[in-house]
Amino acid sequence: MRMLKLAAAVLALAIATPAVAQQATKIEKPKLTLGVGGKPLLYYLPLTIAERKGFFKDEGLDVAINDFGGGAKSLQALIGGSIDVVTGAYEHTIRMQAKGQDIVSVIELGRFPGIVLVARKDRPIKSVKDLKGAKIGVTAPGSSTNFFVNFLMAKDGLKPDDASYVGVGGGASAVAQMKRGEIDAMSNLDPVITKLVDDGDVIILADSRTEAGNDKIFGGENPAAVLYMKRDFVEQNPVTTQKLVNAFYKALQWLKTATPEDVAAVVPEEYLLGDKALYLNAVKNSLPIYSRTGLIPERGMKNALNMLVEFDSELKAAKIDLAKTFDGTFVAKAAAPK
C-alpha cells in the first residue's frame, strides 16, 4: 500500500511539473507599451535595433513604442500609468526616489550620455561661463539634455535659471531651430550634433561621447539610457521583464561588432536626415557610448548622483539608496550561457 501511495505521488508530481514550469515561464504581459523621448536619436539606438532586428518578437513580446518629445514626457507617462516601461535616462530613477516614486532600471544601454553642448558660431559664447542669459535648446525641459547643461553651468558657478531652456526635440526640428538662430546654444545628441558640426554652424563646448570626454566632465562613466519601470511592474511581471532585458541584451551584443554601415542598413530611412554619409559619421562618433555589459557599475551610479546634486537642491537634502535604482539580476540571466 505504501508503495502504491508513493508511486501515485511520483506520478502526480510528474504530471504537475510541466504545468508548474510552464506557469513559471509564461509571459504575464506579452503586449505592452514602451515610452521613449526621441527614438531617432543614437542615444536610443539599442531600442531601434531590438525593434528592427525582431528581438522583441523573438522573446514573444508585442511592444508598442510611444515616442514622446523628450525623456521627461515619457517619465510623466509612466508615472501617470499610460505606458508600461521606459527607455530613458538613468538619472530619472534617482530623481524619482527623492520624490517617493520607486522606479528601477533593469539594464544599462548607454555607459556614456553621448550628449554634446554646442553654441552657434555667430554668438559670443566660447565657454560654458558665457551661457549666462543664453537661450538654450534641449530635447525637452527636465530631460537628461537639460540636466547635462545644468550640471556644466553649476560647475562654472552658474545657476539653472541663469539661462532659459527651449524644447527642440531630437530630430530635424532641432537642427532647423539652431540654423535659423532661434536659440543660442543647444544640448543634444547625434545625429543632430554631427549634422550641425559638419555643416559648420556650431562650436563644441562639452562632449560626452568619448571616454576621455566623460573623464573630463564627470570623472568617469556616467550611465545614460536604461530600461526602467515601476518596481511594482517588475514584481508583478518578472517573466515579461526578463524577456525585455533579453531583447535589449541581444541588441547590445549586436552593436559590439556592428559597423556604421550595418546600423544604417537597419534603421528607418528617415533617421538618416536625408544624408547617409552624415549618419554614418554620427554612428561612428556614437558607437563608444553603448554599454558593453548591460550592468551599471557602482562608480557610474555615484557619478550620476554627483551630477544631479550639483544643481538640484532637492537631491542635496535627500537620502538616496543607489542600490535601489538598478536591479542587475535580469542582465545576469540574459548573459548566462545557454
Side-chain angles (χ1 to χ4, degrees):
M1 181 65 72
R2 183 180 298 175
M3 292 299 293
L4 286 172
K5 288 182 177 179
L6 180 60
V10 171
L11 180 61
L13 180 62
I15 294 171
T17 298
V20 171
Q22 186 178 14
Q23 187 176 10
T25 57
K26 182 180 179 182
I27 303 175
E28 308 90 353
K29 197 175 178 64
K31 290 186 177 182
L32 68 156
T33 305
L34 180 149
V36 63
K39 185 171 173 281
L41 292 169
L42 288 172
Y43 186 90
Y44 295 119
L45 181 60
L47 169 61
T48 297
I49 297 302
E51 175 200 23
R52 303 279 289 191
K53 295 288 288 182
F55 296 151
F56 291 131
K57 289 184 178 178
D58 290 347
E59 294 294 328
L61 298 174
D62 181 1
V63 180
I65 299 173
N66 196 334
D67 192 5
F68 296 90
K73 294 180 179 179
S74 52
L75 172 63
Q76 290 168 4
L78 179 73
I79 299 301
S82 62
I83 59 174
D84 300 301
V85 300
V86 173
T87 304
Y90 167 71
E91 301 99 275
H92 291 307
T93 66
I94 298 176
R95 297 187 78 243
M96 287 300 100
Q97 188 180 131
K99 296 178 183 296
Q101 296 280 351
D102 198 358
I103 304 297
V104 61
S105 55
V106 291
I107 183 169
E108 178 190 65
L109 304 176
R111 59 185 183 138
F112 306 147
I115 302 171
V116 184
L117 177 62
V118 297
R120 275 184 61 96
K121 279 187 175 179
D122 61 357
R123 300 292 196 268
I125 301 173
K126 306 303 177 187
S127 69
V128 174
K129 289 182 179 180
D130 299 329
L131 290 174
K132 189 169 184 177
K135 191 175 183 180
I136 305 173
V138 295
T139 53
S143 294
S144 57
T145 51
N146 202 158
F147 298 156
F148 183 73
V149 69
N150 284 349
F151 170 68
L152 292 170
M153 290 171 62
K155 283 179 65 178
D156 271 348
L158 298 177
K159 300 186 294 295
D161 58 7
D162 281 332
S164 59
Y165 305 92
V166 180
V168 296
S173 65
V175 173
Q177 289 183 62
M178 178 61 88
K179 284 182 172 290
R180 290 197 297 262
E182 295 173 9
I183 49 179
D184 305 305
M186 184 163 65
S187 176
N188 217 302
L189 304 111
D190 273 327
V192 169
I193 294 299
T194 294
K195 171 67 174 172
L196 291 169
V197 171
D198 285 1
D199 287 354
D201 298 303
V202 300
I203 61 169
I204 293 176
L205 303 181
D207 190 340
S208 68
R209 292 175 295 187
T210 66
E211 187 169 353
N214 279 266
D215 287 343
K216 181 179 180 181
I217 296 168
F218 305 112
E221 287 189 26
N222 189 333
V226 297
L227 174 68
Y228 69 77
M229 58 203 71
K230 294 179 180 179
R231 192 175 300 276
D232 287 351
F233 182 93
V234 178
E235 293 171 350
Q236 295 166 14
N237 305 281
V239 178
T240 304
T241 302
Q242 185 65 63
K243 296 290 188 180
L244 281 167
V245 171
N246 291 349
F248 277 110
Y249 187 77
K250 289 176 185 176
L252 292 179
Q253 298 310 298
W254 186 86
L255 281 167
K256 276 185 179 181
T257 58
T259 64
E261 288 77 13
D262 292 333
V263 173
V266 171
V267 303
E269 182 73 23
E270 60 267 25
Y271 284 19
L272 308 184
L273 295 178
D275 189 336
K276 186 175 180 180
L278 158 82
Y279 189 80
L280 293 175
N281 192 27
V283 172
K284 180 182 177 181
N285 291 337
S286 293
L287 279 176
I289 76 174
Y290 304 112
S291 181
R292 300 297 191 255
T293 65
L295 297 169
I296 304 179
E298 184 179 354
R299 177 62 181 168
M301 295 183 194
K302 291 179 178 177
N303 282 340
L305 177 59
N306 291 339
M307 176 188 75
L308 292 170
V309 299
E310 190 75 34
F311 63 86
D312 191 324
S313 58
E314 182 181 1
L315 278 173
K316 286 180 182 179
K319 290 184 179 180
I320 300 297
D321 184 352
L322 289 173
K324 290 183 178 180
T325 64
F326 178 66
D327 181 349
T329 59
F330 296 97
V331 175
K333 289 181 181 178
K338 302 297 188 287

